[in-house]
């Protein structure tokens, strides 16, 4: 079966080079690789190092994750039935593409989305106890579930193939036919945190989703990406509050309660351990909840600054 991958990137040539190196040693190679570059300085030189890969290079300025994804979709070859989105800091384990291709041979008709297994995934809050996660509706009991608070329960690392209610946007394949009816919300820009959960909230009404355990990758997130802690915490919270407001299956009150709890936990833990980044993340969560309470959650769209 023919398939393609789309890689939005911006100013990270070393991460992209590492990803492409892990791709060129796969037993099964995509029929089309679309690199959508939003960099201030072109990364075309990196692309030229991989002459053996079928790469299409598309520069997009000004950049934006959703904008770059849409540009990639528009560049897909006409006969491509399935394609994937990959973050540039993903590294494929040997045999990952072969495992996904083998899974499609038996289960392609059963699902609309197929998630790679991120084997180095970890919990977002390290200090949270189980009772705390339940009290503030941060994590559910079933991997891959999405709670009333609009919080997705991690499903990786996965020890078996598992149906889920959401899939991580940075290492996931989709049937192309889905995009005849559904596409990514253009409201998300800059840090499109939780845009994958919002997209899955619509897709999952019509199609089942699955994570494929043997299709293994690593997500080697860099410190540059993790920076600007306060802004990241603020935007993550505001984006989730918006999703919970526009999708009836979620509760805005539950979402606000969840982020309040996570903000308090992160800020307290950061102060006690002298971890400024953790404390600033927590402060960002709390500031977003406070802004929603004081200005009205209906005006979330105007409160996110990215």
């Amino acid at each position: 079966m023919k398939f393609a991958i789309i890689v939005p990137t911006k100013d990270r040539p070393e991460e992209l080079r590492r990803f492409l190196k892990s791709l060129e040693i796969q037993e099964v190679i995509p029929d089309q690789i679309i690199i959508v570059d939003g960099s201030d300085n072109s990364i075309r030189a990196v692309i030229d190092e991989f002459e053996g890969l079928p790469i299409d290079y598309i520069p997009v300025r000004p950049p934006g994750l959703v904008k770059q994804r849409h540009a990639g979709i528009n560049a897909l070859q006409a006969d491509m039935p399935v394609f994937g989105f990959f973050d540039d800091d993903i590294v494929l384990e040997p045999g990952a593409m072969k495992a996904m291709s083998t899974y499609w041979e038996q289960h392609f008709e059963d699902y609309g989305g197929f998630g790679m297994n991120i084997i180095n995934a970890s919990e977002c809050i390290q200090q949270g106890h189980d009772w705390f996660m339940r009290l503030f509706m941060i994590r559910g009991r079933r991997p891959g579930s999405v709670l009333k608070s609009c919080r997705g329960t991690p499903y990786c690392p996965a020890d078996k193939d598992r149906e889920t209610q959401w899939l991580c946007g940075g290492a996931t394949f989709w049937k192309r036919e889905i995009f005849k009816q559904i596409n990514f919300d253009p409201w998300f820009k800059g840090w499109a945190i939780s845009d994958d959960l919002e997209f899955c909230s619509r897709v999952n009404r019509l199609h089942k989703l699955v994570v494929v355990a043997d299709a293994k990758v690593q997500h080697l997130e860099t410190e540059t990406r993790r920076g600007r802690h306060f802004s990241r915490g603020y935007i993550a919270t505001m984006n989730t509050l918006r999703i919970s407001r526009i999708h009836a299956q979620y509760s805005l009150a539950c979402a606000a309660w969840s982020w309040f709890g996570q903000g308090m936990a992160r800020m307290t833990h950061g102060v006690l351990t002298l971890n400024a980044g953790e404390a600033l993340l927590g402060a960002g969560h709390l500031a977003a909840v406070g802004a929603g309470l004081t200005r009205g959650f209906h005006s979330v769209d105007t409160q996110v600054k990215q």
Side-chain angles (χ1 to χ4, degrees):
M1 179 184 299
K2 294 187 68 173
F3 71 99
I5 63 171
I6 298 170
V7 186
T9 188
K10 183 182 184 300
D11 297 322
R12 300 208 298 185
E14 292 306 316
E15 287 84 348
L16 181 64
R17 179 180 289 111
R18 184 179 60 195
F19 170 76
L20 291 174
K21 284 182 177 179
S22 75
L23 183 59
E24 69 176 351
I25 63 172
Q26 296 294 309
E27 298 175 62
V28 176
I29 300 294
D31 298 275
Q32 184 183 19
I33 302 166
I34 304 171
I35 306 297
V36 189
D37 183 22
S39 302
D40 294 330
N41 298 304
S42 171
I43 47 85
R44 185 60 188 260
V46 175
I47 306 300
D48 292 340
E49 297 175 17
F50 298 88
E51 295 181 354
L53 293 177
I55 298 177
D56 292 328
Y57 174 74
I58 302 175
V60 171
R61 299 289 298 174
L65 180 57
V66 172
K67 181 180 179 181
Q68 288 173 251
R69 283 177 175 169
H70 286 164
I73 293 172
N74 291 335
L76 285 168
Q77 295 172 9
D79 59 345
M80 208 68 67
V82 61
F83 66 93
F85 292 108
F86 282 79
D87 288 347
D88 56 14
D89 54 4
I90 290 289
V91 174
L92 299 159
E93 291 288 293
M97 288 299 183
K98 175 65 174 177
M100 183 60 79
S101 179
T102 299
Y103 190 85
W104 287 336
E105 291 175 4
Q106 299 181 359
H107 303 287
F108 187 73
E109 298 303 321
D110 299 331
Y111 300 98
F114 307 84
M116 307 291 281
N117 184 9
I118 305 174
I119 59 175
N120 67 325
S122 59
E123 292 287 352
C124 293
I125 296 184
Q126 300 298 330
Q127 74 276 12
H129 297 289
D130 186 70
W131 64 267
F132 179 87
M133 297 289 193
R134 303 288 178 266
L135 174 63
F136 285 99
M137 306 176 70
I138 297 171
R139 292 289 182 269
R141 295 185 182 277
R142 183 168 65 86
S145 62
V146 182
L147 304 182
K148 195 74 173 174
S149 59
C150 195
R151 305 299 299 277
T153 302
Y155 55 84
C156 289
D159 56 359
K160 62 180 180 180
D161 302 336
R162 186 190 302 275
E163 290 189 9
T164 66
Q165 293 180 309
W166 73 287
L167 291 172
C168 172
T172 303
F173 284 95
W174 302 96
K175 284 183 178 176
R176 187 173 187 172
E177 66 185 59
I178 288 175
F179 291 82
K180 295 178 181 178
Q181 300 174 292
I182 304 170
N183 217 317
F184 291 98
D185 187 345
W187 180 85
F188 291 95
K189 57 185 177 180
W191 280 344
I193 303 171
S194 294
D195 74 308
D196 46 10
L197 192 148
E198 193 281 328
F199 179 69
C200 290
S201 297
R202 289 178 283 135
V203 172
N204 201 29
R205 298 170 190 167
L206 303 172
H207 304 272
K208 293 192 294 184
L209 311 175
V210 65
V211 56
V212 181
D214 289 337
K216 299 176 181 178
V217 302
Q218 293 191 57
H219 185 197
L220 303 182
E221 194 171 19
T222 62
E223 284 303 316
T224 299
R225 186 175 181 129
R226 294 182 184 183
R228 297 171 58 190
H229 300 282
F230 180 88
S231 296
R232 190 173 181 86
Y234 186 93
I235 292 168
T237 306
M238 277 298 182
N239 286 4
T240 307
L241 293 175
R242 179 180 184 270
I243 297 169
S244 67
R245 186 172 61 82
I246 64 176
H247 288 284
Q249 66 264 45
Y250 306 126
S251 164
L252 179 58
C254 290
W257 170 250
S258 178
W259 283 112
F260 170 76
Q262 184 161 350
M264 289 296 295
R266 273 192 160 145
M267 192 162 68
T268 301
H269 184 260
V271 170
L272 292 177
T273 60
L274 302 180
N275 185 331
E278 186 80 353
L280 286 170
L281 270 172
H285 298 324
L286 294 175
V289 174
L293 290 172
T294 56
R295 303 178 199 173
F297 288 110
H298 63 281
S299 60
V300 161
D301 291 16
T302 65
Q303 295 175 24
V304 176
K305 298 178 176 60
Q306 305 190 54

